[in-house]
């Protein structure tokens, strides 16, 4: 490498799970949505993407690796192009090489980017949201681009715009054809409602058969229900959810979150040909949640499903231990899962004295192995820079450590 120095930054960015869904674009190139959406950003400790971005005059071309494999992707290139444009604009305004700026020649150097997820990719767990948010955040730190970068993340994946913030986040659909006002903003920080917790029930870690990109385009082209939903349902439900979060009103949040999820999957079924992201286990989880809530005579747990069979459950901290114990009762690990941690993330307490009425629900059949594992997590603070150099995904030569070790 000679005397040339590699400039690099490593960052982590989280998954976000929407309670008001984004499904359908009015502009597929700029990724402008048909409606605004709201989500909670999850803790990076349990679900995140990690990205290292580096620049050097010795790099012969821009190169990107995902989970150890070299890839080419036009959306990744669009994010990089916009970061460089803003960096050049900032450079032309400041026109100096201070510590707060970057060397002029660095803007012309090629970039190496390496990214990985600590959870399954393309399995309906919002991997693209975490990945593109991490890419945008990491490149912004590397090139010292400031301000709201949610629109840059949006160029990679629409839902990624929400993952550049922590807590409760709203992505405004915007009205301008340029997309300048289609940006995300934080509604409340992660400290606003510390009692709110999140469970991920992983039903499958396999890649889904119909991608979100293909699925939503099919819905835009063929679903009459999608058009009705946009005109008559989303705005009022979004207002109800935002107010519920602000007031820490779990009952209202839970009911609207579940109705929204159900309507989203109804739109998928209304698409031609129909799209079915849920499976029998997903439906059983829905029934379990409703039975649990009926037992308590109020909404204690809320489910939501993105484009996949894995369930995200929102609940208050007081309900977590009991509900996890009940899930383990109806979906115990199979023999092949013995030895693997079934509950991951935050610790959970064993409960011995569960009401028999909850353990003998007639509508729920015990199904060993139907759930692979549970992630017990919480709302998180958003992307972060990783200071430990040993966690860099790129070696001193600018090549992926994992890629070199496996080759």
């Amino acid at each position: 490498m000679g005397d040339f120095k590699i400039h690099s930054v490593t960052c982590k960015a989280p998954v976000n799970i929407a309670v008001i869904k984004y499904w359908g674009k009015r502009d597929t190139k700029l990724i402008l949505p048909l409606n605004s959406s709201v989500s909670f950003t999850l803790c990076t400790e349990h679900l995140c993407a990690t990205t290292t971005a580096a620049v050097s005059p010795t790099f012969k071309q821009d190169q990107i690796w995902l989970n150890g494999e070299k890839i080419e992707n036009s959306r990744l290139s669009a994010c990089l192009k916009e970061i460089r444009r803003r960096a050049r604009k900032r450079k032309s305004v400041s026109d100096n090489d201070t510590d707060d700026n970057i060397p002029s020649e660095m803007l012309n150097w090629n970039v190496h980017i390496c990214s990985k997820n600590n959870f399954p990719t393309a399995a309906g767990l919002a991997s693209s949201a975490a990945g593109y948010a991490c890419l945008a955040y990491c490149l912004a730190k590397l090139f010292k681009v400031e301000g709201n970068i949610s629109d840059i993340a949006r160029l990679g994946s629409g839902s990624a715009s929400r993952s550049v913030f922590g807590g409760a986040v709203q992505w405004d659909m915007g009205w301008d054809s340029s997309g300048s006002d289609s940006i995300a903003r934080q509604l409340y920080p992660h400290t606003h409602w510390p009692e709110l917790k999140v469970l991920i029930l992983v039903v499958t870690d396999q890649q889904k058969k119909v991608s979100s990109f293909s699925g939503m385009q099919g819905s835009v082209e063929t679903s009459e229900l999608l058009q009705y939903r946009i005109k008559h349902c989303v705005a009022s439900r979004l207002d109800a959810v935002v107010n519920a979060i602000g007031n820490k009103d779990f009952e209202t949040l839970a009911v609207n979150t579940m109705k929204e999820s159900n309507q989203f999957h109804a739109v998928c079924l209304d698409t031609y040909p129909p799209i079915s992201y849920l499976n029998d286990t997903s439906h059983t989880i829905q029934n379990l949640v409703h039975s649990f809530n009926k037992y308590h005579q109020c909404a204690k747990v809320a489910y939501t499903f993105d484009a996949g069979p894995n369930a995200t459950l929102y609940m208050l901290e007081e309900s977590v231990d009991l509900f996890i114990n009940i899930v383990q009762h109806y979906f115990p690990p199979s023999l092949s899962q013995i030895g693997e941690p079934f509950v991951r993330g935050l610790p959970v307490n064993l409960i011995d004295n569960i009401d028999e009425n909850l353990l003998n629900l007639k509508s729920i059949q015990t199904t060993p192995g139907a759930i692979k594992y549970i992630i017990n997590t919480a709302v998180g603070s958003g992307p972060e820079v990783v200071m430990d150099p040993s966690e860099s995904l790129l070696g001193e030569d600018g090549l992926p450590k994992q890629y070199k070790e496996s080759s």
Side-chain angles (χ1 to χ4, degrees):
M1 301 298 292
D3 296 328
F4 292 119
K5 180 181 179 181
I6 294 177
H7 299 262
S8 69
V9 175
T10 300
C11 298
K12 291 184 178 181
V15 164
N16 75 79
I17 302 295
V19 290
I20 299 295
K21 304 296 188 184
Y22 146 60
W23 192 252
K25 308 179 186 73
R26 67 181 192 274
D27 186 310
T28 57
K29 182 178 181 180
L30 296 177
I31 309 188
L32 303 181
L34 289 170
N35 61 270
S36 299
S37 55
V38 175
S39 63
F40 287 103
T41 297
L42 306 190
C43 179
T44 56
E45 184 178 350
H46 307 127
L47 288 162
C48 75
T50 302
T51 299
T52 298
V55 291
S56 171
T58 63
F59 295 164
K60 296 181 179 180
Q61 60 182 344
D62 293 334
Q63 295 192 79
I64 301 169
W65 294 266
L66 174 61
N67 294 326
E69 296 184 6
K70 189 175 179 181
I71 64 170
E72 293 184 7
N73 186 300
S74 60
R75 290 189 286 171
L76 289 166
S77 300
C79 294
L80 177 56
K81 181 179 179 180
E82 179 59 19
I83 283 284
R84 281 174 165 151
R85 187 193 70 80
R86 292 192 193 183
R88 289 189 175 97
K89 182 178 180 180
R90 181 174 184 267
K91 185 68 180 174
S92 66
V93 173
S94 58
D95 198 27
N96 63 76
D97 289 336
T98 66
D99 290 340
D100 292 331
N101 215 312
I102 58 175
S104 300
E105 62 273 17
M106 185 172 152
L107 294 172
N108 298 315
W109 297 347
N110 289 314
V111 179
H112 282 189
I113 299 167
C114 187
S115 185
K116 69 175 184 179
N117 300 325
N118 68 350
F119 58 95
T121 299
L125 288 173
S127 59
S128 63
Y132 283 108
C134 200
L135 173 74
Y137 188 81
C138 194
L139 289 172
K141 293 298 181 183
L142 180 64
F143 288 103
K144 301 188 183 300
V145 172
E146 300 174 342
N148 190 333
I149 60 165
S150 65
D151 56 334
I152 299 177
R154 189 198 74 220
L155 294 175
S157 169
S159 56
S161 63
R162 299 188 305 254
S163 276
V164 302
F165 296 104
V169 182
Q170 179 167 325
W171 172 22
D172 294 319
M173 61 174 287
W175 299 98
D176 195 290
S177 61
S178 69
S180 61
D181 56 351
S182 184
I183 56 176
R185 54 192 171 91
Q186 185 183 71
L187 297 173
Y188 297 97
H190 72 289
T191 53
H192 167 70
W193 199 353
E195 300 84 5
L196 186 65
K197 302 301 179 183
V198 188
L199 299 183
I200 310 290
L201 307 189
V202 180
V203 175
T204 180
D205 53 11
Q206 300 300 306
Q207 185 169 334
K208 55 197 174 191
K209 295 180 179 179
V210 181
S211 69
S212 297
F213 179 85
S214 299
M216 70 174 64
Q217 285 310 110
S219 296
V220 170
E221 293 168 3
T222 65
S223 174
E224 296 175 1
L225 180 56
L226 175 63
Q227 304 306 322
Y228 181 89
R229 159 184 154 75
I230 292 165
K231 293 177 182 177
H232 302 287
C233 302
V234 175
S236 60
R237 189 173 289 150
L238 185 147
D239 288 342
V241 162
V242 171
N243 289 332
I245 296 170
N247 296 325
K248 302 179 185 178
D249 175 2
F250 186 77
E251 177 82 20
T252 300
L253 172 65
V255 170
N256 281 279
T257 295
M258 290 187 282
K259 286 184 175 181
E260 173 71 3
S261 177
N262 294 340
Q263 188 178 74
F264 159 55
H265 286 282
V267 167
C268 292
L269 290 174
D270 187 54
T271 302
Y272 189 81
I275 307 166
S276 182
Y277 287 118
L278 306 184
N279 62 19
D280 288 345
T281 303
S282 308
H283 294 303
T284 304
I285 292 168
Q286 289 176 316
N287 291 336
L288 179 60
V289 169
H290 285 298
S291 297
F292 186 83
N293 290 343
K294 184 178 180 180
Y295 170 85
H296 287 95
Q297 298 183 323
C298 65
K300 289 285 189 178
V301 178
Y303 59 74
T304 185
F305 294 83
D306 281 344
N310 302 311
T312 298
L313 308 179
Y314 290 104
M315 65 194 72
L316 298 183
E317 188 171 15
E318 63 188 22
S319 300
V320 171
D321 287 345
L322 176 58
F323 195 79
I324 288 180
N325 276 260
I326 290 173
V327 169
Q328 289 178 294
H329 171 75
Y330 287 105
F331 302 99
S334 64
L335 291 177
S336 62
Q337 292 172 287
I338 300 299
E340 294 292 325
F342 188 65
V343 181
R344 307 176 185 183
L346 299 173
V348 60
N349 297 310
L350 180 66
I351 299 177
D352 294 323
N353 57 339
I354 299 176
D355 190 326
E356 287 296 320
N357 290 315
L358 283 172
L359 298 178
N360 294 288
L361 296 170
K362 294 180 179 179
S363 61
I364 310 298
Q365 183 177 356
T366 301
T367 314
I371 292 177
K372 289 183 173 294
Y373 55 90
I374 302 169
I375 302 172
N376 183 17
T377 187
V379 179
S381 58
E384 58 192 45
V385 176
V386 177
M387 303 307 296
D388 185 352
S390 68
E391 293 194 45
S392 172
L393 302 182
L394 295 172
E396 294 181 357
D397 57 0
L399 294 176
K401 295 177 181 178
Q402 180 181 350
Y403 182 77
K404 290 189 297 179
E405 290 169 0
S406 62
S407 62

